[in-house]
Amino acid sequence: MDRQPAPHGGDPAAAPGYQVVRTQVRWGDCDPAGIAFFPRFFEWMDLASHALAREMGITREDVLGPASYGFPANHAQAEFLVPALLDDEIEVRTTIVHIGRTSLRMRHQLVRMSDGVLLARGEAVRVHIQRVPSRAMRPVPLTPAMRRVLSRYVPAEL
């Protein structure tokens, strides 16, 4: 199974109300007992962040260029509920719980696909930045197009 976003056909109306990225627990993700090492959960949440950045139109060239843009995390936390095991297929379900001027707060649920068990949940705050010639990062406002993409993943109860 690829570590790629699971498409919803490109039709926002077909989206489940959260962004979906699927992955599988691999040998290198595990300790000798076959249990996923806890930093991997942060890696899997990061996969969702990168998929969302691509959906917002941030390309590889944007990230690697001299005046690059990006979405670094300035806060991340997780609660681990049930171990993920070797070969488990995992769905990372991401909602946007806050959209600020230059930042957003993402909420992730990591669910084992075979039985729907919630393995972990986490949150991350990402800041839209641009690197200036000195290589320093400065926050820049989210664009209207970015806000439109993000709004698809804001739960109705917020």
Side-chain angles (χ1 to χ4, degrees), residues 19 46-60 62-63 69-72 96 104 106 126 128 146 149-150 153:
Q19 181 207 46
D46 196 50
L47 285 172
S49 300
H50 286 274
L52 186 62
R54 284 190 304 275
E55 191 174 339
M56 287 189 296
I58 297 177
T59 66
R60 181 181 151 210
D62 292 332
V63 174
Y69 289 86
F71 268 97
I96 305 301
L104 57 113
M106 307 171 80
R126 297 276 177 159
H128 183 217
M146 290 174 173
V149 170
L150 294 170
Y153 304 114

Side-chain angles (χ1 to χ4, degrees), residues 132-148:
V132 293
S134 68
R135 302 297 289 165
M137 292 183 271
R138 66 178 179 91
V140 292
L142 297 166
T143 68
M146 290 174 173
R147 290 175 179 283
R148 279 191 298 280

Side-chain angles (χ1 to χ4, degrees), residues 74-88:
N74 76 346
H75 174 81
Q77 66 184 40
E79 180 180 11
F80 308 101
L81 305 169
V82 176
L85 305 174
L86 180 63
D87 292 331
D88 278 352

